[in-house]
Amino acid sequence: AASSPRLGGQSARVLPVTMAAEVPSPLEVSVPIAPWYHEKMSNGQTPFQMGLNFGLVGTSCVAAQGTVHWTRTAMVQQQLAGMRGEVPLGMVAQTASIWQSEGLRGLYRGFSAAALREATYSSLRFGLYEPLKVALDTSEGKEELPVWKKITAGLVAGAGAAAIASPTDLLMIQMAASKQFPPPSMFQVGKEVVARDGILGLYKGLGTTVARAAVLGATKMATYDVVKTELRNQGWGEGPELVFAASVVTGLAITVTTSPATNMQTIIMSGNAPGGGGMLGAATDIMRRQGPKGFFRGFGMQWARFGPYAVVQFAVWESLRNMCGMSSI
């Protein structure tokens, strides 16, 4: 047998050699990496979901417009009656008058332009709201976003969307204002506007449209957001009751805040505004002819539109988001 090596006159202990654990190469580690569009942001949504949201909200807005479009037609006729020297009819009387003379087709004149408007303007207005909230959120979702930031997000989203989709507003109003029967098509009205005023004629009343949309956007999304948050804090759970209550309050709020701009927009885009159709000229003419109440002409019809519209739109939107695995608004 071989003798053991000695150290200082004593046998040296032979220690077992321990091999170091092998560290796998980074290339060998299989870690699933989520694409950037599937990474959740501070609002709990992924970029993919926020993109999908544009389509969902557009669908919900077209559905909502389909249920209340007749109120917009009656409202436009009410608002123009005073400018035409006619006796303005009440909400029920105006609706009955259109129904008796033109039927359902008359009440839904301009719906093609309205549907196009909802698919563009409303999709952008609501779809941009959440990305803008994320951009304004400095707490990265850890704290409730201040009300003023929610209002700012709604205002910017509404104004930007209106600037893009303003021609659809003009076409819809001119189709609703027309006394022609059968009602002119969207393409007929557009062709007449371009022939008369050129392409820029489609953007008549742009300033009023943007101002109205900014006020509407700031009021609608911020009010709905805040009311839902407050009701949740009071113990309300997610469900149809919460959506309905928040929608009713939201509808009333936007009717109050947007009625003056809505009346000016109708007069300008229908071609009944003096002095070239500016916002100031329209406001001055309304005050001279009808007084302060002229700015709230058609208030009942506006509420009859905004209230049910908000209920249907938010109910459909929330349901579609739920079906796609997205959180509530």
Side-chain angles (χ1 to χ4, degrees):
S3 60
S4 301
R6 304 181 65 84
L7 183 62
Q10 297 181 355
S11 297
R13 297 175 60 190
V14 180
L15 299 175
V17 178
T18 304
M19 299 296 292
E22 292 186 4
V23 178
S25 166
L27 296 177
E28 298 175 356
V29 179
S30 178
V31 178
I33 301 175
W36 64 268
Y37 48 82
H38 284 315
E39 293 182 2
K40 289 188 177 182
M41 305 181 76
S42 61
N43 67 338
Q45 305 291 339
T46 66
F48 174 78
Q49 288 175 322
M50 286 197 284
L52 175 63
N53 191 46
F54 281 86
L56 300 183
V57 71
T59 301
S60 69
C61 289
V62 172
Q65 183 66 26
T67 63
V68 300
H69 183 75
W70 59 273
T71 63
R72 184 69 186 257
T73 304
M75 180 197 73
V76 168
Q77 294 292 340
Q78 280 184 309
Q79 291 172 340
L80 292 178
M83 307 304 293
R84 292 168 172 167
E86 303 171 358
V87 178
L89 300 176
M91 181 172 65
V92 176
Q94 183 67 70
T95 304
S97 175
I98 298 174
W99 173 264
Q100 290 171 1
S101 60
E102 303 177 32
L104 186 63
R105 187 176 180 182
L107 287 171
Y108 273 79
R109 60 168 64 235
F111 179 70
S112 56
L116 178 60
R117 174 184 181 272
E118 297 301 323
T120 53
Y121 163 67
S122 293
S123 293
L124 291 170
R125 174 163 56 103
F126 291 112
L128 290 172
Y129 178 68
E130 287 186 291
L132 287 171
K133 284 205 307 180
V134 171
L136 293 171
D137 187 3
T138 55
S139 71
E140 297 184 353
K142 298 175 183 177
E143 300 175 4
E144 180 68 27
L145 197 68
V147 175
W148 73 267
K149 289 189 176 182
K150 292 179 180 179
I151 293 175
T152 301
L155 187 151
V156 173
I164 295 172
S166 182
T168 61
D169 261 315
L170 182 134
L171 295 175
M172 178 179 62
I173 288 175
Q174 292 215 0
M175 291 170 75
S178 172
K179 293 286 190 178
Q180 177 183 332
F181 190 81
S185 70
M186 178 174 63
F187 297 104
Q188 284 178 310
V189 174
K191 185 177 179 180
E192 290 174 4
V193 170
V194 172
R196 184 177 61 247
D197 303 319
I199 294 294
L200 291 180
L202 293 171
Y203 286 88
K204 180 185 290 186
L206 176 63
T208 307
T209 300
V210 171
R212 176 184 179 274
V215 173
L216 191 152
T219 304
K220 187 166 190 175
M221 288 309 301
T223 301
Y224 185 78
D225 211 340
V226 170
V227 171
K228 279 195 74 176
T229 299
E230 290 300 316
L231 291 176
R232 286 194 195 103
N233 293 339
Q234 296 296 321
W236 288 52
E238 290 292 341
E241 297 84 3
L242 179 62
V243 173
F244 179 80
S247 299
V248 169
V249 176
T250 300
L252 179 59
I254 58 181
T255 304
V256 172
T257 58
T258 63
S259 184
T262 299
N263 274 273
M264 287 187 285
Q265 180 193 44
T266 298
I267 290 169
I268 292 171
M269 289 189 165
S270 64
N272 286 274
M279 190 187 307
L280 182 59
T284 303
D285 203 46
I286 290 174
M287 178 65 74
R288 180 175 62 84
R289 291 173 182 264
Q290 305 175 64
K293 68 179 182 180
F295 290 102
F296 292 89
R297 178 75 65 193
F299 184 89
M301 256 326 166
Q302 292 181 66
W303 166 234
R305 174 178 179 266
F306 281 132
Y309 180 101
V311 172
V312 174
Q313 189 251 314
F314 281 119
V316 174
W317 188 15
E318 296 267 28
S319 297
L320 291 174
R321 287 170 65 101
N322 183 58
M323 288 171 57
C324 294
M326 300 169 65
S327 63
S328 60
I329 302 167

